[in-house]
Amino acid sequence: DAWKCFQNNAPEGTLIIADHQIHGRGRRQSKWSSVGGKSLTFSFVLLPEMALEKLSILPLLSGVSIVKGIHSITNILCGLKWPNDIIMSRKKIGGILIESHAGKQGLEVVVGIGLNINETEDDIPNELQDLATSLHIDSGEEFGRELILSSILNEFENLYLNHWHDIIPLWQGYCIHENVEVTFHSNNKFHRGIFQGITNSGHARIQINSKTETFPAGM
């Protein structure tokens, strides 16, 4: 639906919200499960006028927006795991998928976000119990999804329009695995190494076998 917005000349920032997402997906075509009336799943479209290499900051900007937006409404402070996971109590509560292509309006970008808000433990599949959680499971409270959504979008708009140069230090402040061993997927294979931070272009610096390499987040 978001890609159709470009065909219809919809303005930048057009938002699509699914109250119940049926076929959610994440990076590398992985499945993203959501619960009707409890999850927050949405996408919005961008028409950024910037160099392609700067777009690698977008996943980080999105993550910072989510953490700041959630904290503003709930007073719950989540963490970020490179490149696109939202973490609470060492479990995942959300993810980001950013896709782009060249279209008739120039560079066309869709930012897709899925967040677990009011799910109970019974809503989390058994195979994900040790990996996934929600704001409700962790806090015992229920939250207005609309308020969290508007807060995240306000944070995103402010950062996107005014604060690109602040994204790297903000993201690193929320990062949960600085100088910790991480396993990740890049160039169709898995890598393991010590996470050493983010470059100015948004790439991860990973120490592998005593050598520091950089890896893009991918979009």
PDB file of all heavy atoms in Angstrom, residues 113-125:
ATOM      1  N   ILE A 113       7.570  -0.016  10.374  1.00  0.00           N
ATOM      2  CA  ILE A 113       7.881  -0.212  11.797  1.00  0.00           C
ATOM      3  C   ILE A 113       6.826  -1.121  12.423  1.00  0.00           C
ATOM      4  O   ILE A 113       5.622  -0.949  12.186  1.00  0.00           O
ATOM      5  CB  ILE A 113       7.929   1.135  12.545  1.00  0.00           C
ATOM      6  CG1 ILE A 113       9.109   1.976  12.030  1.00  0.00           C
ATOM      7  CG2 ILE A 113       8.032   0.924  14.058  1.00  0.00           C
ATOM      8  CD1 ILE A 113       9.126   3.396  12.549  1.00  0.00           C
ATOM      9  N   GLY A 114       7.272  -2.104  13.196  1.00  0.00           N
ATOM     10  CA  GLY A 114       6.374  -2.959  13.963  1.00  0.00           C
ATOM     11  C   GLY A 114       6.787  -2.962  15.423  1.00  0.00           C
ATOM     12  O   GLY A 114       7.974  -3.140  15.729  1.00  0.00           O
ATOM     13  N   LEU A 115       5.822  -2.743  16.324  1.00  0.00           N
ATOM     14  CA  LEU A 115       6.113  -2.674  17.760  1.00  0.00           C
ATOM     15  C   LEU A 115       5.090  -3.482  18.554  1.00  0.00           C
ATOM     16  O   LEU A 115       3.888  -3.439  18.266  1.00  0.00           O
ATOM     17  CB  LEU A 115       6.069  -1.214  18.244  1.00  0.00           C
ATOM     18  CG  LEU A 115       7.101  -0.257  17.647  1.00  0.00           C
ATOM     19  CD1 LEU A 115       6.751   1.175  18.007  1.00  0.00           C
ATOM     20  CD2 LEU A 115       8.502  -0.606  18.139  1.00  0.00           C
ATOM     21  N   ASN A 116       5.586  -4.201  19.540  1.00  0.00           N
ATOM     22  CA  ASN A 116       4.708  -4.924  20.467  1.00  0.00           C
ATOM     23  C   ASN A 116       4.347  -3.981  21.610  1.00  0.00           C
ATOM     24  O   ASN A 116       5.212  -3.590  22.397  1.00  0.00           O
ATOM     25  CB  ASN A 116       5.411  -6.165  21.022  1.00  0.00           C
ATOM     26  CG  ASN A 116       5.739  -7.176  19.940  1.00  0.00           C
ATOM     27  OD1 ASN A 116       5.114  -7.207  18.889  1.00  0.00           O
ATOM     28  ND2 ASN A 116       6.738  -8.010  20.200  1.00  0.00           N
ATOM     29  N   ILE A 117       3.051  -3.653  21.708  1.00  0.00           N
ATOM     30  CA  ILE A 117       2.622  -2.680  22.715  1.00  0.00           C
ATOM     31  C   ILE A 117       1.849  -3.356  23.851  1.00  0.00           C
ATOM     32  O   ILE A 117       2.312  -3.435  24.981  1.00  0.00           O
ATOM     33  CB  ILE A 117       1.749  -1.584  22.072  1.00  0.00           C
ATOM     34  CG1 ILE A 117       2.492  -0.924  20.894  1.00  0.00           C
ATOM     35  CG2 ILE A 117       1.362  -0.542  23.131  1.00  0.00           C
ATOM     36  CD1 ILE A 117       3.743  -0.186  21.279  1.00  0.00           C
ATOM     37  N   ASN A 118       0.655  -3.868  23.549  1.00  0.00           N
ATOM     38  CA  ASN A 118      -0.224  -4.389  24.605  1.00  0.00           C
ATOM     39  C   ASN A 118      -0.386  -5.902  24.578  1.00  0.00           C
ATOM     40  O   ASN A 118      -1.325  -6.442  25.185  1.00  0.00           O
ATOM     41  CB  ASN A 118      -1.605  -3.715  24.503  1.00  0.00           C
ATOM     42  CG  ASN A 118      -1.541  -2.240  24.895  1.00  0.00           C
ATOM     43  OD1 ASN A 118      -0.813  -1.858  25.811  1.00  0.00           O
ATOM     44  ND2 ASN A 118      -2.296  -1.413  24.181  1.00  0.00           N
ATOM     45  N   GLU A 119       0.504  -6.611  23.905  1.00  0.00           N
ATOM     46  CA  GLU A 119       0.449  -8.074  23.904  1.00  0.00           C
ATOM     47  C   GLU A 119       0.665  -8.633  25.312  1.00  0.00           C
ATOM     48  O   GLU A 119       1.445  -8.082  26.103  1.00  0.00           O
ATOM     49  CB  GLU A 119       1.523  -8.648  22.978  1.00  0.00           C
ATOM     50  CG  GLU A 119       1.246  -8.482  21.502  1.00  0.00           C
ATOM     51  CD  GLU A 119       1.770  -7.170  20.949  1.00  0.00           C
ATOM     52  OE1 GLU A 119       2.069  -6.248  21.757  1.00  0.00           O
ATOM     53  OE2 GLU A 119       1.888  -7.054  19.735  1.00  0.00           O
ATOM     54  N   THR A 120      -0.027  -9.732  25.598  1.00  0.00           N
ATOM     55  CA  THR A 120       0.223 -10.486  26.821  1.00  0.00           C
ATOM     56  C   THR A 120       1.191 -11.627  26.498  1.00  0.00           C
ATOM     57  O   THR A 120       1.510 -11.874  25.334  1.00  0.00           O
ATOM     58  CB  THR A 120      -1.078 -11.075  27.382  1.00  0.00           C
ATOM     59  OG1 THR A 120      -1.575 -12.059  26.456  1.00  0.00           O
ATOM     60  CG2 THR A 120      -2.127  -9.991  27.587  1.00  0.00           C
ATOM     61  N   GLU A 121       1.621 -12.335  27.526  1.00  0.00           N
ATOM     62  CA  GLU A 121       2.520 -13.470  27.286  1.00  0.00           C
ATOM     63  C   GLU A 121       1.853 -14.527  26.420  1.00  0.00           C
ATOM     64  O   GLU A 121       2.522 -15.208  25.629  1.00  0.00           O
ATOM     65  CB  GLU A 121       2.962 -14.070  28.624  1.00  0.00           C
ATOM     66  CG  GLU A 121       3.906 -13.166  29.407  1.00  0.00           C
ATOM     67  CD  GLU A 121       4.437 -13.820  30.661  1.00  0.00           C
ATOM     68  OE1 GLU A 121       3.998 -14.952  30.968  1.00  0.00           O
ATOM     69  OE2 GLU A 121       5.287 -13.214  31.331  1.00  0.00           O
ATOM     70  N   ASP A 122       0.532 -14.664  26.534  1.00  0.00           N
ATOM     71  CA  ASP A 122      -0.177 -15.651  25.717  1.00  0.00           C
ATOM     72  C   ASP A 122      -0.171 -15.281  24.235  1.00  0.00           C
ATOM     73  O   ASP A 122      -0.390 -16.141  23.381  1.00  0.00           O
ATOM     74  CB  ASP A 122      -1.626 -15.788  26.192  1.00  0.00           C
ATOM     75  CG  ASP A 122      -1.729 -16.472  27.559  1.00  0.00           C
ATOM     76  OD1 ASP A 122      -0.776 -17.172  27.935  1.00  0.00           O
ATOM     77  OD2 ASP A 122      -2.753 -16.273  28.248  1.00  0.00           O
ATOM     78  N   ASP A 123       0.048 -14.019  23.930  1.00  0.00           N
ATOM     79  CA  ASP A 123       0.069 -13.575  22.537  1.00  0.00           C
ATOM     80  C   ASP A 123       1.408 -13.841  21.859  1.00  0.00           C
ATOM     81  O   ASP A 123       1.497 -13.789  20.626  1.00  0.00           O
ATOM     82  CB  ASP A 123      -0.221 -12.070  22.449  1.00  0.00           C
ATOM     83  CG  ASP A 123      -1.636 -11.724  22.864  1.00  0.00           C
ATOM     84  OD1 ASP A 123      -2.544 -12.488  22.510  1.00  0.00           O
ATOM     85  OD2 ASP A 123      -1.819 -10.698  23.540  1.00  0.00           O
ATOM     86  N   ILE A 124       2.444 -14.105  22.632  1.00  0.00           N
ATOM     87  CA  ILE A 124       3.774 -14.343  22.071  1.00  0.00           C
ATOM     88  C   ILE A 124       3.909 -15.829  21.741  1.00  0.00           C
ATOM     89  O   ILE A 124       3.722 -16.675  22.612  1.00  0.00           O
ATOM     90  CB  ILE A 124       4.890 -13.932  23.063  1.00  0.00           C
ATOM     91  CG1 ILE A 124       4.704 -12.480  23.516  1.00  0.00           C
ATOM     92  CG2 ILE A 124       6.261 -14.130  22.436  1.00  0.00           C
ATOM     93  CD1 ILE A 124       4.841 -11.454  22.436  1.00  0.00           C
ATOM     94  N   PRO A 125       4.208 -16.179  20.488  1.00  0.00           N
ATOM     95  CA  PRO A 125       4.376 -17.602  20.130  1.00  0.00           C
ATOM     96  C   PRO A 125       5.401 -18.285  21.032  1.00  0.00           C
ATOM     97  O   PRO A 125       6.386 -17.659  21.471  1.00  0.00           O
ATOM     98  CB  PRO A 125       4.856 -17.546  18.683  1.00  0.00           C
ATOM     99  CG  PRO A 125       4.353 -16.234  18.167  1.00  0.00           C
ATOM    100  CD  PRO A 125       4.409 -15.291  19.333  1.00  0.00           C
TER     101      PRO A 125
END
